[in-house]
């Protein structure tokens, strides 16, 4: 077990830097703020933090529009602050993962400024330029993920450039070897400074159809769905060559000591997701599995989903699970607070690396963000369908001004932070925070949970039961996904190690186990 790479048994914690902790009093979270709060992550019991982008950016998409891949935006701090954060994280036993945004840069990046300067500019081919379509409009029917055409016309040169997101986020041309080399240099810049890995933004988008064919219509499109859902993204993303690029990124990491990890953002069905592990696992170690976010929440459906995912994994491929991130409705808002505790138990007892989203450890709900406070460019472009501000509200730490997040008015309203905070949850032995700490501690102390095999035991009514096994050691997890009590026949005497209610431990009476509404149990088999 000693040669098991750290990222297999690790729990990862995502920090959205604007919203975690503001140290310099400008109402926006920063690197120094994160450093000041590392203690929270250590007490929580996670092993690594992933920070959403901190690079210089005009912030059209809050850092996902990068103007310099080897710098730090002054809003967040300086390079010296990154170095300090890496050093202190490492000193506290935490790994640090950066966000890498290779699909597109900012339109203010000097590369794009050059590219846009004319058809014969040295970096023209670093981005995706096409002549107008036959009728004089955009080259094809591709839609931006934030709505509207995925092409913007450049008057001066008479061509369109492609952007899978905002027009301020032009797509880089990953078929151009100079682009690849420049981006790999950027990875090395951060690897040299000691970062432990990268979460790669929209990894499946990097390569587009070489002939730029039209995407077919989506037969399931209906009113109320975002514009991007009108078409199936058959030709604009997930091309076979994206796997080659993934392998090149991975090889770059592998040239460094210490099991650096490559995590891919991939919203794909299982069979396509698996391709990103690469042949012989030479691709991403953790192609993000978002299916728990997207799946309906019921026992049979979840059991099937887990089994299908486990079955689809390539030999030796390590699983991973996610309940939320900065683009999704928060888990407590999707499922309700009581069921969010069961979801946390599921996330932290499944086989595979879990990633937690900041705030979910205290059961934070989506914030109410009034229309005049909306900041997300998607929300502003497609009102009603695309708003991501509610899941990005500031982390509430205590009952101080602005919940301890900032001395100044926060960049987004506090939302749910008015009613719960880390300090109050830390003082309550049965809080959501206490549950997360217990689950993470149990996971760390129990090889069967951290690395053991997974086996579905039952999925009946609202109950989902499974075992985790490491040699002789076996643990049973029974989750009640419903609002009514339910009974489960364990078939052998059991002992509760942990209940989501945090008020139940020790030997269970003989006979069927009774679970209360929204209760989950981790059990050992009594000898
Ligand atoms: C990813 C990010 C999202 C961003 C988009 C464009 O999906 O998670 O926040 O808007 O890529 O970079
Ligand atoms: Mg600040």
């Amino acid at each position: 077990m000693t040669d098991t790479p750290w990222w297999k048994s690790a729990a990862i914690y995502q920090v959205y830097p604007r919203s975690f902790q503001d140290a310099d009093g400008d109402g926006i979270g920063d690197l120094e703020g994160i450093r000041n709060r590392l203690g929270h992550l250590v007490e929580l019991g996670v092993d690594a933090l992933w920070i959403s982008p901190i690079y210089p950016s005009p912030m059209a998409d809050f850092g996902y529009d990068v103007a310099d891949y080897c710098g730090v935006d002054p809003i967040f701090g300086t390079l010296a602050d990154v170095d300090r954060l890496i050093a202190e994280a490492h000193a506290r036993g935490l790994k640090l993962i950066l966000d890498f945004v290779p699909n597109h840069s900012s339109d203010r990046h000097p590369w794009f400024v050059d590219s846009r300067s004319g058809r014969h500019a040295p970096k023209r081919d670093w981005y995706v330029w096409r002549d107008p379509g036959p009728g004089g409009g955009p080259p094809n029917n591709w839609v931006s993920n934030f709505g509207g055409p995925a092409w913007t016309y450049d008057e001066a040169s008479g061509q369109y450039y492609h952007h899978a997101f905002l027009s301020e986020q032009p797509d880089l041309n990953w078929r151009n070897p100079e682009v690849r080399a420049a981006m790999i240099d950027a990875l090395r810049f951060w690897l040299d400074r000691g970062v432990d890995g990268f979460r790669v933004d929209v990894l499946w988008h990097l390569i587009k159809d070489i002939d730029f064919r039209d995407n077919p219509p989506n037969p399931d499109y209906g009113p109320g769905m975002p514009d991007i859902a009108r078409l199936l993204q058959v030709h604009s993303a997930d091309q076979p060559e994206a796997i080659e690029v993934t392998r090149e990124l991975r090889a770059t990491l592998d040239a460094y000591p210490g099991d650096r990890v490559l995590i891919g953002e991939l919203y794909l069905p299982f069979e396509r997701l698996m391709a990103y592990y690469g042949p012989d696992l030479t691709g991403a170690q953790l192609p993000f599995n978002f299916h728990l976010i997207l799946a309906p929440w019921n026992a049979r459906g979840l059991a099937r989903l887990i089994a299908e995912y486990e079955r689809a994994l390539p030999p030796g491929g390590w699983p991973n699970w996610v309940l939320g991130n900065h683009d999704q409705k928060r888990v407590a808002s999707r499922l309700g607070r009581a069921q969010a505790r069961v979801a946390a138990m599921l996330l932290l007892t499944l086989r595979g690396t879990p990633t937690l989203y900041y705030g979910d450890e205290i059961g934070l709900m989506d914030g109410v963000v009034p229309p005049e406070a909306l900041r997300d460019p998607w929300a502003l472009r497609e009102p009603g369908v695309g708003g991501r501000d509610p899941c990005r509200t500031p982390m509430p730490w205590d009952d101080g001004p602005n919940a301890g997040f900032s001395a100044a008015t926060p960049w987004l309203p506090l939302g749910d932070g008015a009613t719960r905070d880390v300090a109050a949850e830390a003082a309550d032995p049965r809080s959501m925070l206490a549950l997360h700490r217990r689950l993470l501690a149990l996971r760390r102390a129990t090889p069967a949970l951290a690395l053991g095999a997974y086996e579905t035991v039952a999925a009946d009514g609202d109950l989902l039961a499974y075992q985790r096994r490491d040699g002789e050691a076996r643990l049973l997890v029974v989750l009640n996904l419903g609002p009514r009590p339910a009974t489960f026949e364990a078939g052998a005497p059991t002992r509760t190690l942990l209940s989501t209610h945090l008020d139940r431990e020790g030997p269970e009476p003989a006979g069927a186990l009774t679970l209360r509404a929204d209760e989950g149990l981790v059990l050992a088999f009594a000898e």
Side-chain angles (χ1 to χ4, degrees):
M1 221 183 88
T2 43
D3 53 4
T4 303
W6 64 268
W7 47 264
K8 285 194 176 176
S9 57
I12 301 171
Y13 183 98
Q14 180 190 355
V15 169
Y16 193 67
R18 294 183 75 85
S19 301
F20 198 59
Q21 174 70 63
D22 175 26
D24 65 359
D26 63 354
I28 302 174
D30 40 49
L31 288 161
E32 185 62 5
I34 298 172
R35 196 170 71 85
N36 293 340
R37 292 297 187 181
L38 289 179
H40 171 67
L41 304 189
V42 171
E43 280 169 56
L44 179 59
V46 296
D47 305 279
L49 67 155
W50 145 40
I51 310 177
S52 282
I54 44 142
Y55 315 106
S57 167
M59 303 288 168
D61 189 19
F62 296 114
Y64 286 97
D65 48 325
V66 177
D68 173 4
Y69 287 97
C70 300
V72 174
D73 196 283
I75 285 183
F76 297 124
T78 62
L79 262 180
D81 289 327
V82 177
D83 291 341
R84 256 195 300 278
L85 181 61
I86 294 173
E88 190 158 334
H90 286 171
R92 288 170 166 253
L94 294 166
K95 306 284 185 184
L96 191 111
I97 297 166
L98 289 186
D99 213 306
F100 182 55
V101 192
N103 180 68
H104 42 265
S105 72
S106 161
D107 62 341
R108 316 263 187 90
H109 195 296
W111 298 342
F112 188 71
V113 173
D114 175 285
S115 188
R116 196 178 209 169
S117 69
R119 283 187 184 229
H120 302 290
K123 293 198 168 56
R124 184 66 166 183
D125 186 52
W126 281 41
Y127 292 82
V128 181
W129 290 96
R130 307 287 292 172
D131 289 331
N140 65 21
N141 71 348
W142 295 356
V143 176
S144 154
N145 281 274
F146 294 150
W151 298 94
T152 288
Y153 188 61
D154 175 57
E155 289 284 346
S157 65
Q159 286 192 311
Y160 283 85
Y161 67 89
H162 172 54
H163 48 88
F165 294 87
L166 299 173
S167 61
E168 293 91 339
Q169 294 167 294
D171 278 43
L172 282 151
N173 176 15
W174 274 82
R175 293 187 188 272
N176 181 322
E178 289 176 22
V179 169
R180 292 193 190 198
M183 293 300 276
I184 281 172
D185 278 350
L187 285 182
R188 293 202 182 106
F189 176 85
W190 296 107
L191 290 164
D192 287 337
R193 301 190 100 85
V195 309
D196 300 289
F198 298 94
R199 171 270 191 188
V200 183
D201 192 59
V202 293
L203 177 59
W204 82 111
H205 268 274
L206 298 195
I207 302 280
K208 301 98 177 63
D209 178 40
I210 199 152
D211 296 320
F212 292 88
R213 283 170 286 180
D214 277 356
N215 277 327
N218 173 8
D220 298 326
Y221 180 72
M225 288 165 78
D227 199 27
I228 182 70
R230 279 198 288 116
L231 305 176
L232 299 174
Q233 315 300 306
V234 175
H235 299 303
S236 51
D238 192 26
Q239 303 299 296
E241 297 92 331
I243 310 301
E244 292 314 306
V245 175
T246 305
R247 296 178 74 196
E248 213 175 318
L249 303 179
R250 168 68 185 280
T252 306
L253 271 64
D254 278 356
Y256 285 77
D259 292 319
R260 317 278 171 125
V261 68
L262 189 70
I263 306 174
E265 187 202 17
L266 296 154
Y267 284 93
L268 292 174
F270 287 148
E271 74 277 9
R272 287 305 311 150
L273 184 60
M274 298 309 159
Y276 288 79
Y277 281 94
D280 299 321
L281 305 180
T282 52
Q285 292 107 323
L286 301 175
F288 258 150
N289 164 15
F290 295 128
H291 288 258
L292 283 183
I293 299 178
L294 309 168
W297 200 256
N298 64 71
R300 237 167 258 177
L302 287 180
R304 197 178 322 118
L305 181 151
I306 297 163
E308 275 172 17
Y309 177 63
E310 284 273 350
R311 211 175 313 122
L313 287 166
W318 185 248
N320 75 85
W321 298 96
V322 183
L323 283 176
N325 60 41
H326 64 294
D327 297 325
Q328 304 289 341
K329 195 175 162 97
R330 279 190 182 270
V331 60
S333 291
R334 295 200 309 271
L335 304 177
R337 282 217 168 101
Q339 193 54 219
R341 297 174 76 108
V342 179
M345 184 171 274
L346 176 72
L347 176 73
L348 297 175
T349 59
L350 280 174
R351 188 176 86 101
T353 304
T355 301
L356 285 91
Y357 182 49
Y358 88 93
D360 284 353
E361 77 274 34
I362 57 168
L364 207 62
M365 302 264 250
D366 272 1
V368 177
V369 182
E372 66 278 7
L374 289 176
R375 305 290 298 275
D376 175 18
W378 190 14
L380 299 172
R381 285 167 62 94
E382 289 199 83
V385 291
R388 300 172 295 177
D389 292 310
C391 69
R392 298 174 175 179
T393 56
M395 182 74 162
W397 294 101
D398 53 39
D399 58 8
N402 301 311
F405 166 71
S406 173
T409 305
W411 75 285
L412 271 181
L414 268 168
D416 193 28
T419 54
R420 62 183 48 220
D421 62 58
V422 172
E425 293 245 326
D428 171 1
R430 292 186 185 165
S431 67
M432 181 67 146
L433 180 59
L435 174 63
H436 275 85
R437 288 178 177 174
R438 291 285 306 274
L439 279 165
L440 284 158
L442 185 64
R443 195 184 157 84
R444 220 176 240 182
T446 316
L449 276 184
L451 295 167
Y454 167 90
E455 193 185 308
T456 306
V457 172
D460 201 14
D462 281 333
L463 284 189
L464 171 63
Y466 50 90
Q467 280 191 22
R468 301 292 313 282
R469 187 193 288 267
D470 179 52
E472 289 298 292
R474 275 193 309 157
L475 283 188
L476 176 67
V477 180
V478 188
L479 305 176
N480 184 358
L481 307 185
R484 279 170 300 277
T487 56
F488 177 75
E489 202 56 69
T494 54
R495 185 164 46 88
T496 290
L497 301 177
L498 194 55
S499 158
T500 47
H501 293 28
L502 295 175
D503 60 355
R504 174 171 177 174
E505 259 170 68
E508 291 291 340
L513 281 168
T514 300
L515 283 91
R516 290 164 285 177
D518 301 302
E519 185 174 29
L521 300 175
V522 182
L523 304 129
F525 289 96
E527 297 316 322

